[in-house]
Amino acid sequence: MYQLEVSEMSWFERYFEFEKHRTDIRTEVLAGVTTFMTMAYILFVNPAILSDAMGKDAFSSLVAVTALASGISTIIMGLYAKKPFALAPGMGLNAYFAYNVVIGMGYDWRVALAAVFVEGILFIILSVTKIRSAIIHAIPLSQKYAVGAGIGLFLTFIGLNDVGFLTAVVNEAGVLQLTGLNASALVTKQGLLFLFGLFLAAILISLRIKGALLISILVTSILGWITGAAPWPSQIFSTPNISYTFLKLDLKGLLNVGAIGVVFAFFMVDFFDTLGTVTGLSAKAGFLTKEGKVPDAEKVLLTDAIGTSFGALLGTSTVTTYIESAAGIEEGGRTGMTALVTGLLFLAVGLFIAPLAQAIPAFATAPALVIVGYYMLSAIRGVDFDDASEAIPAFLVLMTIPYTYSIADGIGMGFISYTIIKLLSGRGKDIHPLMYVLALIFIGYFAYLGGVF
């Protein structure tokens, strides 16, 4: 183990308990840089998605907001929870925010931000009470896996739509209309560059190269600029300005039944995605106890919840713990020092690259959406397909999310179908009492959307 020779550094060693975790500052810094490299693509992708809903004028602010929300939340994780976990606006949740809530349902983006803020407050309350445990135990594991996988398909759909391979629109009723495949889009200059970026990312990931998605985005963009498929950036750096989105949430707009469903959908996906991610990362880092519990889990979840509400105030969709933190853990990161380094890099780099981010073309970011979709789809292997009462509701979630362009509809379909199938097949004992409540809530939600009342 490397020993700290500079007396000023001893504070880090004591505070982050380097000796206990058998690590040192060199390892922690390297792990933090690695985590940042694997996550930096969010600085380009999140603004690209959210600006579709907020308007292209919001792009520059969204780059700075993404950096601020990610950086500060990750620093809090490092200093408070002392875990090597990084946070950023969640993939899938940003797509739900933009394409379903704003574009599909017709809510103003300021109302959507208010829904994210309220969801974060609920998460904070549940993180410091025993209600959280009740909800965790109520939702069947197969449903948690299915929601994550369904979001993966949702992201892949968006990525393919961005390059014109899948042509789809959302009509005035918020229903997705798939108008067909457009194979000719892939033989255009932009389509070929998309394929290049997709295969480059896949090869780099297969070779276990750190920062594969970021490398793919940057290399594909440069090739696009060189070949004339996209214009060169007019400049690289600029002074950060978040005025377009800062404190623009509209809480009054939430005062209707439909908006309650939006808050609930944000909450459910964020809540269980975070639990799954934190558990997986803790297992990889060797933090889990013999009983399978995560030490200081409440601190981790509370940090995540604070990040969500804080991000909404800044102007971005739900902030959540990122599975890419596993890259830093793989490099030996075991303490909050890893997260601290990652957070500082988000602030140092992300706040000043809005012009560069705005010049990144869609065909360069679309491969990242497809690959992230692949990562998330892998969660479906946790479903027991030998048990139809578990697998069929999971399958319905998997199909409903991308084909309705709605994470909320997918969750609702899963909860309702799971409860009905289990109950009528004589396996009611498998259903937690709270699931009946959740299923009824979604029945009422669908009835409202259908104009029943």
Side-chain angles (χ1 to χ4, degrees):
M1 186 180 82
Y2 291 86
Q3 298 295 328
L4 299 178
E5 299 178 356
V6 183
S7 60
E8 289 83 357
M9 288 295 187
S10 61
W11 179 84
F12 287 101
E13 185 178 33
R14 293 193 305 271
Y15 186 79
F16 292 114
E17 300 177 298
F18 282 3
E19 186 174 352
K20 173 184 175 181
H21 295 286
R22 297 181 180 180
T23 187
D24 56 80
I25 194 165
R26 178 182 179 276
T27 300
E28 294 294 306
V29 170
L30 178 60
V33 172
T34 301
T35 298
F36 174 74
M37 285 291 291
T38 61
M39 287 179 59
Y41 71 89
I42 198 65
L43 293 169
F44 308 114
V45 178
N46 190 55
I49 290 175
L50 294 183
S51 63
D52 283 345
M54 297 181 178
K56 295 305 178 183
D57 290 342
F59 193 98
S60 295
S61 287
L62 286 168
V63 176
V65 163
T66 301
L68 274 174
S70 304
I72 294 176
S73 299
T74 302
I75 289 171
I76 293 173
M77 178 69 78
L79 294 178
Y80 172 60
K82 298 183 182 180
K83 292 292 189 290
F85 307 155
L87 299 89
M91 294 294 295
L93 284 163
N94 52 9
Y96 175 67
F97 179 105
Y99 302 116
N100 187 235
V101 177
V102 178
I103 297 175
M105 294 174 148
Y107 287 102
D108 186 85
W109 60 266
R110 299 164 186 84
V111 176
L113 284 178
V116 173
F117 176 77
V118 171
E119 176 250 316
I121 297 298
L122 290 175
F123 199 170
I124 290 173
I125 294 171
L126 293 179
S127 295
V128 296
T129 66
K130 294 183 178 180
I131 299 175
R132 179 191 65 87
S133 299
I135 297 178
I136 293 170
H137 296 311
I139 310 302
L141 196 59
S142 60
Q143 288 292 295
K144 298 173 189 175
Y145 289 137
V147 170
I151 294 173
L153 288 179
F154 186 33
L155 288 174
T156 300
F157 195 102
I158 292 169
L160 295 176
N161 191 42
D162 281 348
V163 293
F165 179 59
L166 289 177
T167 52
V169 295
V170 179
N171 65 21
E172 294 180 357
V175 178
L176 177 72
Q177 293 180 322
L178 181 63
T179 58
L181 299 176
N182 182 19
S184 61
L186 295 183
V187 296
T188 63
K189 190 180 295 184
Q190 290 81 4
L192 291 173
L193 285 166
F194 161 76
L195 291 175
F196 170 82
L198 180 62
F199 287 117
L200 175 61
I203 292 169
L204 291 175
I205 291 169
S206 299
L207 294 174
R208 299 184 181 276
I209 303 297
K210 306 300 182 186
L213 294 181
L214 177 63
I215 294 171
S216 171
I217 289 172
L218 294 177
V219 171
T220 304
S221 296
I222 292 171
L223 287 176
W225 298 332
I226 292 173
T227 59
W232 285 88
S234 57
Q235 62 186 96
I236 304 298
F237 302 105
S238 67
T239 303
N241 181 359
I242 63 172
S243 60
Y244 192 95
T245 60
F246 183 55
L247 295 180
K248 295 298 175 64
L249 57 169
D250 178 10
L251 291 169
K252 290 184 179 179
L254 289 179
L255 300 179
N256 67 75
V257 177
I260 294 174
V262 172
V263 173
F264 186 71
F266 273 127
F267 168 76
M268 293 300 291
V269 177
D270 182 29
F271 192 67
F272 294 109
D273 178 67
T274 299
L275 286 172
T277 300
V278 169
T279 301
L281 291 174
S282 297
K284 187 174 185 62
F287 294 153
L288 293 183
T289 65
K290 293 181 180 179
E291 295 77 26
K293 296 181 179 180
V294 180
D296 297 323
E298 299 302 336
K299 289 184 177 181
V300 175
L301 295 174
L302 183 57
T303 300
D304 195 289
I306 292 171
T308 290
S309 290
F310 175 67
L313 293 174
L314 290 174
T316 187
S317 55
T318 307
V319 172
T320 188
T321 305
Y322 258 58
I323 195 64
E324 282 86 346
S325 304
I329 293 173
E330 185 71 26
E331 289 294 326
R334 291 295 183 273
T335 76
M337 182 69 183
T338 295
L340 178 61
V341 171
T342 303
L344 291 173
L345 284 172
F346 266 114
L347 297 180
V349 177
L351 285 176
F352 306 99
I353 61 167
L356 174 62
Q358 196 157 10
I360 301 294
F363 59 76
T365 56
L369 293 176
V370 175
I371 295 295
V372 172
Y374 148 76
Y375 280 136
M376 298 184 72
L377 181 62
S378 64
I380 201 66
R381 62 190 174 193
V383 176
D384 181 7
F385 279 89
D386 292 328
D387 184 347
S389 67
E390 296 283 341
I392 291 176
F395 171 74
L396 291 175
V397 173
L398 190 67
M399 293 296 98
T400 302
I401 289 177
Y403 287 127
T404 62
Y405 238 53
S406 172
I407 296 172
D409 289 355
I411 294 173
M413 177 63 74
F415 285 6
I416 294 171
S417 62
Y418 181 90
T419 303
I420 292 175
I421 292 173
K422 285 285 188 180
L423 185 63
L424 298 184
S425 61
R427 299 179 62 177
K429 59 181 177 57
D430 293 344
I431 307 173
H432 191 286
L434 188 55
M435 276 296 289
Y436 291 107
V437 177
L438 295 174
L440 287 173
I441 289 173
F442 268 110
I443 289 174
Y445 173 63
F446 287 138
Y448 171 78
L449 292 181
V452 176
F453 59 84

